Amino acid sequence: MINSTVDDNGHAQIPDHQHRCHCCHFDSHNNNPQKPIPKCLPKRIILVRHGESEGNRDDAMYTVTPDYRIPLTPKGIGQAKEAGSRIFDVISDNGTSDNWKVYFYVSPYVRTRSTLREMGRAFSRRRVLGVREECRIREQDFGNFQVAERMKVIKETRERFGRFFYRFPEGESAADVYDRVSSFIQKKKEEENTLRISQANYSTGFLESLWRDIDMNRLHHDPNDDLNLVIISHGLASRVFLMKWFKWTVEQFEYLNNLGNCEFRVIQLGLGGEYSLAVHHTEEEMLEWGLSPEMISDQKWRAHANRSSWNDKCPWYLDAFFDHLANSDDDDYDEVKSNFSD
């Protein structure tokens, strides 16, 4: 386990005062109380789509039942039970590891809550630190009751307009979902020095976020145990989460395939302090999900990257914007100006 704080991008930062605990190898030389106490980062963040719902099986369900009330099918219940067992195997290293705990975040929809209930059968109470319903990771809002013929026309229009920016009438665009999922993930500027914020402010929910839970140790996590966060959500919300986390572009998002029911993605912490899909998943899997060769290369780099090399690597799509620039300040001034005016 790596003992550190994180920045706004989710990258590990080794503290200046070099704290020593069971999960790191640094000696303490500075007991300055003004500096934040380091927290142990999650070893894994696992994104799970809900099991098959009645709406997945029959679109007509959306015409008579509010989206958030649509339940799982019997098949979906079985998928959720199986997913719980598979995730247990992942975070326990197939039963070989004993020092681990899990914390769950779940969308408030009936089908995600039911998925968590069935998944939870794979875990004993001593393994579960807790669970929180999180409204910001809910399904994209497609409007209220969805009339089938109207929705068919709307979705055809979305394909022409662009899937990320198209906003459903009375509903949301994927860009809207990105904004609210980002507020769940992001560590805001006001959160950077936890020792300067009063305990009264902690309870207001104003600064609520994934990283706030970690920084404040709201999960009551023992640093001797590997921490695993499992987020039970929806297909688009999970893809948007990945987009935000890895700073993927809109174009890259457009090529991503949706997760299958109860399919999951494991974002795992590499030895160098970067999170990556490539620690757990294969290149073949990532290709199937719609990641480009460049995106997969980036995931492989992250799996072994040292954070000190981050500025040399990011943004890795630099040439897409600056492919016509001069390579050196010594290039002829007139030539540079000529390129600029073209």
Side-chain angles (χ1 to χ4, degrees):
M1 184 182 300
I2 295 177
N3 190 59
S4 59
T5 54
V6 293
D7 64 12
D8 289 352
N9 294 321
H11 308 305
Q13 296 195 65
I14 303 301
D16 292 337
H17 48 301
Q18 305 297 280
H19 172 78
R20 171 176 284 280
C21 71
H22 294 295
C23 57
C24 59
H25 305 284
F26 301 105
D27 293 315
S28 177
H29 299 297
N30 185 355
N31 296 319
N32 184 351
Q34 297 302 313
K35 293 188 177 182
I37 299 171
K39 299 294 186 291
C40 289
L41 297 177
K43 181 174 182 178
R44 302 177 187 88
I45 300 173
I46 303 176
L47 305 174
V48 189
R49 186 187 175 198
H50 59 79
E52 182 189 72
S53 72
E54 294 290 354
N56 294 142
R57 187 166 66 177
D58 182 4
D59 288 344
M61 282 292 298
Y62 296 108
T63 67
V64 295
T65 307
D67 193 0
Y68 70 93
R69 290 184 182 173
I70 290 179
L72 294 179
T73 64
K75 178 181 177 180
I77 291 173
Q79 289 173 331
K81 290 178 180 177
E82 181 182 354
S85 177
R86 290 168 57 207
I87 290 172
F88 177 90
D89 288 342
V90 169
I91 63 182
S92 69
D93 294 321
N94 293 311
T96 62
S97 173
D98 190 57
N99 295 326
W100 59 269
K101 292 291 191 297
V102 61
Y103 190 94
F104 295 95
Y105 293 90
V106 62
S107 159
Y109 282 33
V110 167
R111 56 187 178 272
T112 44
R113 291 167 56 91
S114 297
T115 297
L116 173 57
R117 179 179 292 275
E118 299 304 325
M119 284 176 52
R121 300 180 189 278
F123 301 89
S124 64
R125 280 190 174 272
R126 77 180 186 91
R127 295 294 186 184
V128 180
L129 291 172
V131 59
R132 193 172 82 213
E133 184 175 287
E134 177 51 68
C135 196
R136 288 172 291 186
I137 58 173
R138 68 188 185 275
E139 175 65 291
Q140 180 181 6
D141 190 344
F142 298 105
N144 297 314
F145 291 108
Q146 301 170 28
V147 180
E149 288 304 313
R150 180 170 179 257
M151 287 301 294
K152 180 180 179 181
V153 173
I154 287 173
K155 289 183 178 180
E156 289 173 353
T157 304
R158 178 182 62 171
E159 292 302 315
R160 297 199 312 272
F161 188 90
R163 298 178 65 88
F164 187 76
F165 292 110
Y166 181 81
R167 179 176 286 119
F168 282 83
E170 303 174 348
E172 292 181 302
S173 66
D176 295 324
V177 180
Y178 180 93
D179 290 342
R180 58 174 161 84
V181 170
S182 295
S183 75
F184 168 60
I185 300 173
Q186 185 123 5
K187 183 180 179 185
K188 299 178 177 64
K189 286 292 183 182
E190 294 92 335
E191 300 178 41
E192 289 180 350
N193 190 343
T194 61
L195 298 180
R196 295 180 181 177
I197 302 175
S198 69
Q199 184 63 41
N201 282 337
Y202 297 156
S203 61
T204 64
F206 175 70
L207 299 177
E208 198 72 33
S209 72
L210 181 73
W211 290 119
R212 170 61 70 183
D213 285 348
I214 296 167
D215 288 344
M216 292 297 298
N217 198 22
R218 285 174 173 166
L219 311 184
H220 305 293
H221 169 235
D222 183 342
N224 293 304
D225 292 327
D226 287 334
L227 173 62
N228 299 271
L229 304 182
V230 179
I231 301 173
I232 300 94
S233 183
H234 306 264
L236 184 131
S238 296
R239 282 178 284 150
V240 162
F241 187 107
L242 292 168
M243 178 187 179
K244 169 63 180 177
W245 191 275
F246 293 118
K247 302 294 185 253
W248 291 341
T249 66
V250 172
E251 183 180 8
Q252 290 166 336
F253 170 85
E254 297 275 5
Y255 284 105
L256 295 177
N257 297 317
N258 201 13
L259 286 75
N261 292 119
C262 276
E263 192 174 349
F264 56 85
R265 307 282 188 261
V266 180
I267 305 171
Q268 187 159 328
L269 192 64
L271 295 177
E274 291 290 334
Y275 283 93
S276 172
L277 293 166
V279 176
H280 178 80
H281 297 290
T282 66
E283 180 174 349
E284 290 71 25
E285 286 178 306
M286 291 185 282
L287 280 170
E288 290 178 1
W289 304 340
L291 274 70
S292 68
E294 293 81 9
M295 295 164 75
I296 293 173
S297 176
D298 180 62
Q299 291 299 316
K300 290 180 176 180
W301 172 81
R302 287 171 177 270
H304 305 284
N306 185 314
R307 191 180 188 279
S308 63
S309 61
W310 176 254
N311 288 335
D312 296 331
K313 180 70 176 176
C314 183
W316 50 270
Y317 51 91
L318 185 70
D319 287 344
F321 299 97
F322 299 106
D323 55 331
H324 299 302
L325 293 189
N327 291 323
S328 169
D329 288 340
D330 296 331
D331 287 344
D332 184 76
Y333 175 80
D334 291 335
E335 182 180 348
V336 173
K337 292 292 287 185
S338 174
N339 290 337
F340 178 75
S341 61
D342 285 345

